[in-house]
Amino acid sequence: MNLRHIEIFHAVYVNGSVSAAARALNVSQPSVSKTLRHAETLLGFDLFQRIGGRLVPTEDAHNLFADVAEIQERVRALREAGRNMRSGGGGRLRISALPSLALGALPAAVSRFLQRHPDVHFDLQTVHHDDLLRKLYERETDIAVASEPPRGAALSNTWLGEGELVVLYREEEMPDAPPRVELSELASRRFISLAGSGPIGTLLTDELDRLGIALDEVVAARTFYIAAALVRAGVGVTVVDSFTAEAWVADGLSMRPLKPSLTFDIHAIHLLDRPPSALASEFLATLREEIDRE
């Protein structure tokens, strides 16, 4: 299948008929039908069956569509990049970030950056530590903002700032909380742990093991945002990163840093053979400022 076959198949699959696909592509119905038949001949199997006057995708078509949709998206991105280059547009930045940064520092940085570069297009997504390497290698993102680069991979990184772990709690449950809270002070409280939450969760677990502290774990949350929501619902207290806590502090919720403090670094991570462009480097400088503010 060539790109024209892929485009026609995708249009018919998405729009549900030859006529609708022709309208979407601004071509004639006979042209769509002819190209679709040619694609089926090349493949050696039918892509659609006519049932009750409707075109219904075959099981083979369903299996093929995921790959075709990905190719279509990449072709669309290539065309967009070409248009930007022709018009002198600002380009496209594909940035992935930890969920904890996605509701605070990242949106603020994007807002500031677009004031200076209104023609830049952003493609933003969240990324968890276990999925970071795949997204970079499969070119789903150009830069991943995370706390710890995967080891043993052909990656490079730029330091963006520092965060720390904090206790997130309901004010009515800890009305006399000190400016900094020792982990031992949480031993008598219902605790929401962060099972499988990556390097930041491991940082807390290692510190608890070092101090020999066992907390009363009532719920194991897989993400910081679930843990924060459980605190708001009155389930217990938790320890999350400062960025997540900042996004949730309101309506009777407060945060306190730990004593002693537990800090972690934040990096912009990219493949060695795909260093950030000048535009991306400028954006990362803006993001660094926002992280520093928080």
Side-chain angles (χ1 to χ4, degrees), residues 19-205:
S19 59
R23 287 193 298 272
L25 297 174
N26 196 28
V27 297
S28 68
Q29 291 187 41
S31 174
V32 171
S33 297
K34 180 179 179 180
T35 304
L36 187 61
R37 287 196 301 270
H38 189 215
E40 291 176 324
T41 299
L42 289 174
L43 291 169
F45 54 79
D46 291 338
L47 293 170
F48 299 92
Q49 295 178 338
R50 187 168 294 278
I51 301 176
R54 296 177 57 251
L55 279 184
V56 178
T58 64
E59 189 62 30
D60 289 324
H62 288 309
N63 293 334
L64 190 63
F65 181 74
D67 290 332
V68 164
E70 182 179 350
I71 293 171
Q72 276 292 95
E73 173 59 26
R74 295 193 178 194
V75 170
R76 185 202 64 77
L78 181 61
R79 288 172 176 165
E80 181 181 339
R83 286 194 297 269
N84 287 335
M85 293 172 69
R86 285 196 304 272
S87 63
R92 185 168 181 247
L93 295 178
R94 299 190 304 168
I95 310 290
S96 296
L98 292 172
S100 55
L101 294 168
L103 291 182
L106 182 62
V110 169
S111 177
R112 285 180 55 201
F113 197 75
L114 287 176
Q115 292 175 17
R116 301 195 303 270
H117 301 281
D119 53 349
V120 170
H121 296 273
F122 279 92
D123 182 350
L124 305 176
Q125 55 187 302
T126 58
V127 61
H128 294 279
H129 185 267
D130 292 344
D131 209 27
L132 185 156
L133 197 58
R134 181 190 64 80
K135 284 184 177 293
L136 287 169
Y137 275 141
E138 294 184 5
R139 303 297 198 268
E140 289 185 26
T141 191
D142 298 317
I143 298 172
V145 181
S147 60
E148 183 177 304
R151 297 179 180 179
L155 302 175
S156 184
N157 66 87
T158 302
W159 185 83
L160 294 179
E162 186 179 85
E164 68 176 319
L165 296 187
V166 300
V167 180
L168 184 65
Y169 63 94
R170 295 200 344 165
E171 292 172 353
E172 63 186 60
E173 295 183 13
M174 295 177 59
D176 301 319
R180 285 187 172 269
V181 177
E182 296 184 18
L183 285 172
S184 58
E185 297 175 36
L186 305 180
S188 60
R189 302 182 182 278
R190 293 182 303 174
F191 187 73
I192 301 157
S193 70
L194 293 163
S197 55
I200 298 177
T202 301
L203 178 65
L204 173 62
T205 302

